[in-house]
């Protein structure tokens, strides 16, 4: 059977999209090539015609993930004045904690990123710096912008680490209150279901 000229690129994109959710949901190191390929209906043997190694897939996956996160979190000139507050409300939510496959790669794959090669860490650093710069421009506090990022990532990791839903909600709510008090950020009046406070 002959494939279209775009077939290889299409398979690569499908593999990246599927692998992002699988890795964030269950860990990248713990997932084998056969499982990653099986998720898109292909055999493990076809993997190496798309990536030279599993590590190369991880590099591509993390690069895309952190760029996507930075696009969303950093905002742009068209973002509303309360952009940072909206981001924090969504980030520090039960929805984010309960759905790691749909959330930030740093909270789901942080330890694996820390053990990865320099190219992975460079892409993470580049994206974090972009978010920090844009948040600094909005809140006028360079240290505060870094602290907000660290607080958010840490709070989500801790919330995922506890068993009790009550403790998880307390932790998230306390983080939101502390940030709001420390930086007097304006929260939007209402939130969509995916961005709810609880």
């Amino acid at each position: 059977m002959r494939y279209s000229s775009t077939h290889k690129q299409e398979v690569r994109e499908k593999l990246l999209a599927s692998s992002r959710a699988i890795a964030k949901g269950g860990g990248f190191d713990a997932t084998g090539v056969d499982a990653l390929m099986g998720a898109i209906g292909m055999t493990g043997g076809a993997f190496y015609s798309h990536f030279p190694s599993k590590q190369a897939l991880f590099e591509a996956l993390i690069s895309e993930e952190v760029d996507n996160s930075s696009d969303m979190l950093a905002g742009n000139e068209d973002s509303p004045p309360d952009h940072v507050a909206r981001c924090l409300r969504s980030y520090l939510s039960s929805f984010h904690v309960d759905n790691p496959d749909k959330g930030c790669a740093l909270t789901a794959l942080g330890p694996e990123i820390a053990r990865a090669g320099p190219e992975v860490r460079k892409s993470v650093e580049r994206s974090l710096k972009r978010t920090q710069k844009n948040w600094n421009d909005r809140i006028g506090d360079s240290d505060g912008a870094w602290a907000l990022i660290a607080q958010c990532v840490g709070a989500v990791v801790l919330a995922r680490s506890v068993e009790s839903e009550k403790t998880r909600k307390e932790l998230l709510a306390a983080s939101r209150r502390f940030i709001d008090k420390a930086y007097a950020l304006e929260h939007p009046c209402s939130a969509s279901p995916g961005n709810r406070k609880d």
Side-chain angles (χ1 to χ4, degrees), residues 15 18-40 47-48 53-55 57-58 61 108-109 112 115:
L15 179 57
S18 175
S19 297
R20 279 198 294 269
I22 292 170
K24 290 190 292 180
F28 185 80
D29 286 346
T31 307
V33 166
D34 288 341
L36 294 171
M37 292 301 284
I40 61 168
F47 175 85
Y48 296 99
S53 65
K54 191 179 170 198
Q55 182 60 30
L57 170 61
F58 187 67
L61 181 156
L109 298 169
E112 292 182 63
R115 291 190 297 269

Side-chain angles (χ1 to χ4, degrees), residues 88-89 92 148 151 166-167 169-185 187 197:
L88 297 176
R89 186 181 189 96
L92 294 170
L148 283 173
Q151 169 93 22
K166 181 176 183 288
T167 302
K169 288 187 174 185
E170 284 177 2
L171 197 155
L172 293 171
S175 295
R176 288 191 302 267
R177 286 192 301 269
F178 177 82
I179 288 170
D180 200 30
K181 188 186 301 181
Y183 299 99
L185 300 174
H187 288 293
K197 274 174 67 175

